[in-house]
Amino acid sequence: RGETRLARRGARAWVVCQAGFGKKNEAKGKKTVKTLAREFQSMKQQDKFRELKLLVRAEGGADWFEVGRAMCEPGAENLAAVKYKRAAIEHGKTLHPALLAAAQVEIGYCAADGDASVTAAQRIDDRSVLDSLEAAWQPAENPRSNAYYKPTMKDGRAKPIDTSSVAAGPRTRGQGKTPSD
């Protein structure tokens, strides 16, 4: 790792100075978009899981906004919605800024195929059930952010980026920044 040394600062203070190389990631428990997409795609390929739409709305509001999809075992739809409630609500606030003004936001779910009625998720008192639940979620794509990783291929990989085109061609010798008359 890095070098550790003592340095004198001022009359009495000694400070431990360490190089910052090799610093570990502080965000424990957070999964990247790429990891979420891999988990979701691997569960989607298995027949024992069911796909759901996760939706949020301002409490008491009429309009539901889709914020992502979840995979879970049949019969565990409410548990999957509650497990990803915090992440879905935060993602919903970035997708739909109207939710920022709401005092309370609730989450709901429906079947991913067809236009089924939305069921509001019910509160779970025993949170230990959620730890053993086999489920995955994939946030909806945010059109305002230019995310690098977008799982668009059937196997979950991103399409290769086309780097062959050049927006502005190379300048030739003597050509300035402004067009000359």
Side-chain angles (χ1 to χ4, degrees), residues 110-148:
C110 67
D113 49 353
D115 292 329
S117 63
V118 179
T119 306
Q122 302 299 315
R123 183 181 170 155
I124 304 293
D125 292 329
D126 186 15
R127 306 280 301 173
S128 64
V129 176
L130 300 178
D131 296 335
S132 63
L133 179 68
E134 206 172 343
W137 104 288
Q138 183 175 30
E141 184 178 333
N142 187 351
R144 288 182 294 279
S145 74
N146 296 325
Y148 176 74

Side-chain angles (χ1 to χ4, degrees), residues 12 25 31-32 44 50 56 81 92 100 119 124 136 143 154 160 162 164 171 174:
R12 295 185 187 165
N25 191 0
K31 295 183 179 179
T32 64
K44 193 172 186 176
R50 181 174 181 216
V56 294
L100 290 169
T119 306
I124 304 293
K154 288 184 180 180
D162 180 24
S164 62
R171 292 188 182 158

